[in-house]
């Protein structure tokens, strides 16, 4: 159901307050790309959890509110960082010993421990899309692996290389001395092992579009292009690169990522772009008041909730007080249903 625009323009619900930021950004003028772009990010190192879903549903609420305020077309990209290296073996998957042999490799190059997909990254991507599709979300799924390898990010990666010193000046002051000595915004994918390397750059060639590093095992000097999926970016710089390359207009983030949002925004501005509008929400906690983790598998899944309650109760739970930390475990389901029924 659509609200009359004059009511939507003064609505006090938080999605409308967020949507008015975008209205102030563009007014009635359509962006050059032809649409306002909302984005959510997903790290598929573990199985999707309800916190991931919460970010998508809340972003969709703001998107829907914006559509009540403006006739500018919108899109929502659900972006999977599936080119990240596998840092540790999740606690809640089978074949954990097998996975241990692939630490450091991109998630889309790690075998699927469940045996249902070509890679662990693709398995978790499919899980994410399955429950988003189950709710009828309108979105476009984007895989970091596909975007890097297809060349979709090449122009922006070369721009980041050209502004390498600027990016370093923004990021280095936020790191400790030991990390500063080895940091690079570019992470080469080792041609010899396939591992995502965190190594310092010893040379870069802007004209050729390459960076060079010392192989940590052989000490050989290796030169790789920054384009075509031969490198990926460190995640904070990667976030900025994605915002810049896709021209993202709106992205939410958890309260624990506020400093990262600010850092990525500085990089975008330094490279001549405009950071997205955003919103910082509080995190979901389990019954022990610990942060919900994909790799730990604590807290509830969307499937758990829907086994006992209608989806409208979950939507209401996500809508209410997003800036307040909430415990998310089985005991909250009947309370959420009671509140839904009362409304």
């Amino acid at each position: 159901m659509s609200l009359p625009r004059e009511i939507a323009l003064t609505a006090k619900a938080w999605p409308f307050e967020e949507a008015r930021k975008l209205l102030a950004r563009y007014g009635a003028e359509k962006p050059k790309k032809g649409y306002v772009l909302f984005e959510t990010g997903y790290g598929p190192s573990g199985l999707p959890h309800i916190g991931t879903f919460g970010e998508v549903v809340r972003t969709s609420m703001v998107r829907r509110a914006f559509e009540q305020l403006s006739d500018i077309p919108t899109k929502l990209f659900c972006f999977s960082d599936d080119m990240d290296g596998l840092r540790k073996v999740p606690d809640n998957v089978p074949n954990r010993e097998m996975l241990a042999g692939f630490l450091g490799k991109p998630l889309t190059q790690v075998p699927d421990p469940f045996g249902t997909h070509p890679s662990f990254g693709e398995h978790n991507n499919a899980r994410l899309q399955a429950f988003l599709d189950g709710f009828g979300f309108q979105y476009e799924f984007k895989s970091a692996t596909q975007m890097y390898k297809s060349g979709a990010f090449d122009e922006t990666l070369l721009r980041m290389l050209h502004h390498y010193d600027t990016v370093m000046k923004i990021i280095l002051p936020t790191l400790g001395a030991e990390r500063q000595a080895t940091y690079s915004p570019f992470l080469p994918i080792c041609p010899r092992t396939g591992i995502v390397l965190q190594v310092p750059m010893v040379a870069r060639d802007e004209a050729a579009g390459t960076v060079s590093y010392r192989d940590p095992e052989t000490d050989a000097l290796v030169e790789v292009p920054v384009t075509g999926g031969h490198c990926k970016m460190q995640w904070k710089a990667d976030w900025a690169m994605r915002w810049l390359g896709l021209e993202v207009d709106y992205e939410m983030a958890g309260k624990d990522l506020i400093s990262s949002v600010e850092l990525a925004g500085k990089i975008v501005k330094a490279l001549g772009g405009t950071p997205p509008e955003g919103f910082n929400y509080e995190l979901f906690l389990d019954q022990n008041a610990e942060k919900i983790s994909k790799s730990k598998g604590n807290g509830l899944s969307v499937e758990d909730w829907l086994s006992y309650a209608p989806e409208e109760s979950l939507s209401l739970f996500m809508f209410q007080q997003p800036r307040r930390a909430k415990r998310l475990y089985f005991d909250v389901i009947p309370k959420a249903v009671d509140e839904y029924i009362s409304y």
Side-chain angles (χ1 to χ4, degrees):
M1 183 180 72
S2 296
L3 287 174
R5 186 155 292 177
E6 61 273 16
I7 295 177
L9 286 168
T10 58
K12 298 186 182 301
W14 68 264
F16 286 94
E17 293 178 348
E18 290 299 295
R20 283 193 284 270
K21 294 180 186 177
L22 291 168
L23 192 65
R25 187 181 178 107
Y26 289 116
E29 185 177 343
K30 187 186 298 185
K32 288 183 180 179
K33 61 182 178 291
Y35 52 88
V36 167
L37 178 58
F38 295 79
E39 184 184 59
T40 64
Y42 168 64
S45 56
L47 302 180
H49 64 71
I50 205 164
T52 309
F53 170 81
E55 183 170 317
V56 179
V57 72
R58 286 169 171 166
T59 302
S60 296
M61 289 174 183
V62 178
R63 180 189 183 189
R64 177 64 174 154
F66 179 78
E67 290 171 346
Q68 306 291 301
L69 301 175
S70 173
D71 296 321
I72 299 175
T74 66
K75 289 188 178 183
L76 170 60
F77 288 175
C78 291
F79 195 98
S80 172
D81 292 310
D82 57 17
M83 205 168 163
D84 285 352
L86 179 66
R87 292 186 293 274
K88 63 179 182 178
V89 177
D91 297 331
N92 57 343
V93 299
N95 297 314
R96 297 182 73 245
E97 291 184 3
M98 178 274 290
L99 285 182
F102 291 87
L103 290 174
K105 292 194 175 183
L107 292 162
T108 45
Q109 298 299 315
V110 176
D112 178 14
F114 297 90
T116 59
H117 292 78
S119 72
F120 189 32
E122 289 166 279
H123 175 95
N124 290 332
N125 286 343
R127 287 287 300 270
L128 174 70
Q129 292 177 79
F131 74 69
L132 295 181
D133 291 343
F135 277 85
F137 287 115
Q138 300 299 310
Y139 68 96
E140 295 180 31
F141 185 79
K142 298 293 182 182
S143 157
T145 300
Q146 293 174 358
M147 296 290 283
Y148 271 97
K149 289 189 174 182
S150 70
F153 284 148
D154 281 1
E155 182 179 344
T156 313
L157 288 165
L158 292 171
R159 191 170 170 185
M160 297 288 280
L161 179 63
H162 181 71
H163 291 278
Y164 184 95
D165 290 334
T166 301
V167 174
M168 290 287 279
K169 286 178 182 178
I170 293 171
I171 293 179
L172 288 183
T174 69
L175 306 175
E178 183 177 347
R179 189 72 185 94
Q180 287 182 1
T182 61
Y183 181 84
S184 166
F186 290 97
L187 302 179
I189 312 298
C190 179
R192 184 175 57 82
T193 65
I195 289 174
V196 182
L197 297 174
Q198 298 201 37
V199 291
M201 298 298 104
V202 298
R204 61 185 190 275
D205 186 333
E206 292 181 12
T210 62
V211 291
S212 299
Y213 65 94
R214 292 282 177 187
D215 187 307
E217 294 183 2
T218 68
D219 200 40
L221 184 65
V222 183
E223 183 181 40
V224 294
V226 299
T227 54
H230 297 281
C231 288
K232 75 171 298 292
M233 301 208 75
Q234 289 270 13
W235 82 269
K236 294 178 184 179
D238 183 90
W239 210 358
M241 186 275 298
R242 189 195 314 163
W243 286 350
L244 190 65
L246 298 177
E247 298 180 55
V248 176
D249 294 301
Y250 190 90
E251 182 159 2
M252 292 185 175
K255 187 178 178 180
D256 57 333
L257 297 179
I258 289 176
S259 61
S260 300
V261 169
E262 293 173 348
L263 193 70
K266 288 180 182 178
I267 295 172
V268 172
K269 288 180 180 178
L271 271 62
T274 302
E277 303 296 332
F279 177 89
N280 296 112
Y281 55 82
E282 265 289 1
L283 305 177
F284 289 120
L285 309 174
D286 66 11
Q287 62 267 37
N288 300 315
E290 295 180 355
K291 177 184 171 183
I292 287 177
S293 164
K294 290 189 295 293
S295 58
K296 288 182 181 178
N298 57 337
L300 288 176
S301 70
V302 173
E303 294 88 348
D304 289 335
W305 187 294
L306 297 182
S307 295
Y308 297 93
E311 63 184 57
E312 291 86 355
S313 66
L314 179 56
S315 296
L316 176 63
F317 183 81
M318 294 296 175
F319 173 78
Q320 293 173 316
Q321 299 176 303
R323 283 200 165 106
R324 189 189 75 182
K326 298 180 182 180
R327 295 198 181 190
L328 187 57
Y329 56 104
F330 280 104
D331 291 0
V332 308
I333 297 177
K335 181 177 182 293
V337 173
D338 287 345
E339 289 181 345
Y340 170 66
I341 292 173
S342 72
Y343 285 123

